[in-house]
Amino acid sequence: MSKLLDNIKEPNDLKKLDLKQLNMLADEIREFLITSVSKTGGHLASNLGVVELTIALHWVFSSPEDRIIWDVGHQSYVHKILTGRKEQFATLRQYGGLSGFPKSHESQHDVFNTGHSSTSISAALGIARARDLKNENYSVIAVIGDGALTGGMAFEALNDAGRSSNNLIVILNDNEMSINKNVGGLSKYLTRIRTEPVYFKVKEDIDLFLNRIPAIGKSMARTVQKAKGSIKYMIMPGTLFEELGFTYIGPIDGHNIEQLTGVLNRAKKMKGPILIHVYTVKGKGYSFAEEEPDIFHGVSSFNVETGKALDKTGIKDYSGVFGDCINELAEKDESIVAITAAMPVGTGLNKMLLNYPNRVFDVGIAEQHAVTLAAALAISGLKPVVAIYSSFLQRAYDQILHDVAMQNLHVVFAIDRAGVVGQDGETHQGIFDLSYLGHIPNLAILAPSCYSELRQMLNYAVLRHNGPIAVRYPKGSETFTLPEGTPEFELGKGVILKEGKDITLVAAGKMVPIAMEAAEKVRNLNIDAEVIDVRSIKPLDINLIISSGMKTGRIITLEDNILAGGMGNSILRLLNEKKANHIKVYLKGFPDEFIPQGSVSELFKVYGLDSDSIVKDIIKTVND
């Protein structure tokens, strides 16, 4: 007997199935997801939690005519399976393969590209307003998680949508999780609704009873509207979504397809903005993911039977070294505090959170708030360390510039996942931080080439620096250790790791070990390359660079950042200011484009930043 899933090639195929078959399909999708993601890695727990919800959405609505927008997109795998992409899942998150996020170039069913949180309601409202201005007729649905709802942008959109008359459905997928356990007042509020849904039950009962009274029922229902409002305030004060202007429906069991389809069909016929509150279990149907949804939020390949990762575990990475170091510093200095935006484990702050819970602030998915909070802590005499991924910190650009740098406050930005990160693709590559931070006055920027430099830089940044400072470091483990006798870190000072006379390689952070590897390879070709570890990207040790460039006559700059506005451009500008622009300078970094998904090593080869590609550049440059 063939599986139901084999016959689903497009969403319309779902409409041929009855309720019993839809539930059977849900089981098949879970089995497929677990098996497939165990081989490729990916976002598993969030997708297991929305299987029934996604089936119900595509059963009730007609994509792509009706527009479904997935916030973040971590939970879009089921949507992709139901929209004809099941056979591509073996290529998930691989170079040239299926993206882990909604991508409009992949399918007409992916309405809006996502990857960062809290954008779906704004996008849905914009599409709904465009629909109404063009006198078109279709449904618009935004699916947003309770974690993403902590982002300020989501509330800006709710505020705007609630006062509009546009027909719009917002589905709040409430699983009490973002990547880690949700925090804050909103989480407590949603928990209260889930555990005390008394008012909403009373409200529905009144509606049902009154509307069944012949002739006068509907009129009476309108008459007692104010009475229902009074009941609301007596039983459950602070009904936030209704006060914002939404018709609230819920809470609904997100794993009950019959209940979901009934509610969605009702909402489809209603006018104005509707908010449907659905509660789900993250990792539903796979015991390991249910027990540890944070671990199974994003996973590498794993053994389905044991839930254990297949790759090496227990190896220290940059995030772990940062976490150990900041915990050690916090033990010695009580003025040190740390801030994270819903990622205490991902950033390595979990150890400090365990040991000093009152000095670690998880603000939820709210990067702007995190930075201004840090500014206020700094101005009050504390030493705040803000640990955020590079691609997420860009969401707080104005707060860095206006609230921290303009006041010249001592805030330390621990920028994790700097450079390309691989399989999450364009939305998560950390290749812009040097460009969006480098032109901000007062802000210093450091880049370690190994764990030892990271520790030295954190000690300096937290304990000795005066003013804002950023330490950017890559995802993964170190691939290099400093030569014996290398000087300790000093702000504004680079260091020559290898002497040479034919060409100078000026490298930052992750590019330092690659530069050393390339220099060793060209030595066998009788080319003597000098390697400078800049360490301090801002301020740069321009005198050291000029001195080396004068000796070799040629410089290649190496950075894992986009070239526009990056370290290489800063070096060119400073050489011009120092009247040293006769030195030939060649810039190596990422081009003016968004970098797709793929393994880090693969992307480095594609973009000519691996050691073999740099060897070719060295040979060409020396022979010019």
Side-chain angles (χ1 to χ4, degrees), residues 420-423 510 598-610:
V420 292
V421 297
Q423 284 85 355
K510 186 181 180 72
S599 69
V600 173
S601 59
E602 191 172 25
L603 291 173
F604 267 60
K605 288 180 181 177
V606 170
Y607 289 94
L609 291 173
D610 64 308

Side-chain angles (χ1 to χ4, degrees), residues 516-574:
M516 291 290 282
E517 187 178 334
E520 183 62 27
K521 288 179 178 178
V522 297
R523 187 169 68 90
N524 298 325
L525 302 173
N526 295 317
I527 297 175
D528 195 8
E530 185 150 289
V531 178
I532 294 178
D533 176 0
V534 298
R535 293 181 164 184
S536 176
I537 294 176
K538 184 186 177 188
L540 276 163
D541 191 347
I542 195 62
N543 291 330
L544 177 67
I545 295 170
I546 290 174
S547 174
S548 179
M550 293 285 286
K551 176 174 61 174
T552 65
R554 309 169 188 86
I555 293 174
I556 297 179
T557 68
L558 304 170
E559 58 190 305
D560 56 344
N561 190 80
I562 194 167
L563 285 172
M567 179 188 72
N569 275 335
S570 295
I571 290 173
L572 283 175
R573 175 177 55 80
L574 291 170

Side-chain angles (χ1 to χ4, degrees), residues 191-202:
T191 299
R192 186 179 173 194
I193 294 178
R194 281 192 304 273
T195 54
E196 302 176 20
V198 182
Y199 157 66
F200 302 105
K201 174 63 176 168
V202 171

